[in-house]
Amino acid sequence: MADTPSIWERPEPPERRAPSPLSRERIVRAAVTLADAEGLEAVSLRKVAAELDAGPMRLYRYIGTKDELLDLMVDAVYAEIPPPTGSGWREVARSYAHGIRAAGLRHEWLADLLDGRPRFGPAAVTHAEATLTALRAAGLQEIDTIMSTVEVLSTYLRGALRTEVGERRAERTSGLDEREWQHAMAPHLLAMFATGDYPLMSEAMHDAEHRSATERFDQGLGYLLDGIEQSLSG
């Protein structure tokens, strides 16, 4: 049996003016809006069809499965991310990281879709090519070094973004921001610390600097870039 062409290779059916015009772009835009408002679990071809005032079977003429819809949604987000820039490879790497983070915070569901195999939609491939090109122009010449740098950055980004999005979701669910949640937990923790069994945890709670999410992200990114730089100079 012949392989089924990917969603990127299949042409769209002719546009129909009635009862409502459809296109993959309109379908994806509606799905992204729905996911932004209600989370990825709210996205289905049926619900997207309802948002577009169209029957679900009409959507299947444009998109075969929910997985294809998710691929298209991720690619739509990559289309929003500007190519990384900078005069040195560290600046390019920071630009890349902050571009992905900003997109992930605009569309929190992206954090749920970055694991696993990479997605090779046209916007994602364009962004990847721009990233590799910028890193080479900024001083990283060997393709293995460039790819290793991007892979390490991507691993950090997936973890950092999941953590930050998870905190946002917990805040919405509980109604407590980070400071309020810490205050609510304080009596329990203070009782544990009073035993003397947790001296470093107690010191951390009382004396460690409390940074914002952006400050924590930048600090972790700095540690990572320092490690990469040391490896390059070794």
Side-chain angles (χ1 to χ4, degrees):
M1 184 174 66
D3 293 335
T4 302
S6 73
I7 186 66
W8 318 108
E9 299 167 314
R10 298 201 306 273
E12 292 194 44
E15 182 179 354
R16 293 173 56 181
R17 295 290 177 182
S20 59
L22 284 182
S23 68
R24 282 189 187 135
E25 182 181 358
R26 287 196 68 212
I27 293 168
V28 173
R29 189 163 59 243
V32 167
T33 300
L34 186 61
D36 288 346
E38 302 182 31
L40 200 60
E41 63 277 3
V43 176
S44 67
L45 290 174
R46 183 174 298 277
K47 290 195 71 171
V48 173
E51 292 291 323
L52 295 170
D53 192 26
M57 294 309 297
R58 285 190 62 200
L59 265 65
Y60 282 108
R61 299 177 65 236
Y62 295 83
I63 299 172
T65 65
K66 182 177 178 178
D67 284 342
E68 288 185 345
L69 177 59
L70 296 179
D71 281 341
L72 290 166
M73 290 168 64
V74 170
D75 210 55
V77 174
Y78 270 103
E80 300 175 5
I81 304 173
T85 59
S87 58
W89 72 265
R90 287 182 67 114
E91 288 184 18
V92 172
R94 283 189 177 278
S95 176
Y96 167 81
H98 279 281
I100 299 291
R101 175 178 181 256
L105 296 182
R106 286 194 304 272
H107 308 286
E108 292 182 0
W109 49 268
L110 184 67
D112 302 318
L113 297 177
L114 290 179
D115 291 335
R117 291 175 175 173
R119 297 171 188 268
F120 289 124
V125 172
T126 298
H127 182 266
E129 179 69 19
T131 300
L132 303 184
T133 300
L135 285 170
R136 173 163 283 176
L140 300 185
Q141 295 303 311
E142 296 294 331
I143 192 62
D144 285 344
T145 301
I146 295 171
M147 289 303 299
S148 295
T149 299
V150 172
E151 287 164 2
V152 170
L153 283 168
S154 297
T155 300
Y156 172 73
L157 280 166
R158 286 195 294 271
L161 193 55
R162 277 186 172 276
T163 299
E164 192 167 354
V165 167
E167 173 58 34
R168 285 183 166 203
R169 289 169 175 169
E171 182 174 327
R172 288 195 296 269
T173 300
S174 67
L176 303 174
D177 64 22
E178 186 176 19
R179 291 281 186 178
E180 291 167 336
W181 175 77
Q182 289 172 346
H183 187 267
M185 291 293 294
H188 165 68
L189 290 174
L190 289 173
M192 292 185 67
F193 297 161
T195 65
D197 293 335
Y198 309 98
L200 291 182
M201 284 293 294
S202 179
E203 182 180 351
M205 181 174 177
H206 288 97
D207 300 330
E209 182 179 354
H210 293 277
R211 297 179 176 86
S212 69
T214 298
E215 289 170 335
R216 291 194 297 267
F217 180 84
D218 278 332
Q219 184 179 49
L221 181 59
Y223 288 158
L224 182 66
L225 296 179
D226 288 346
I228 294 173
E229 188 166 38
Q230 184 175 359
S231 175
L232 292 174
S233 62

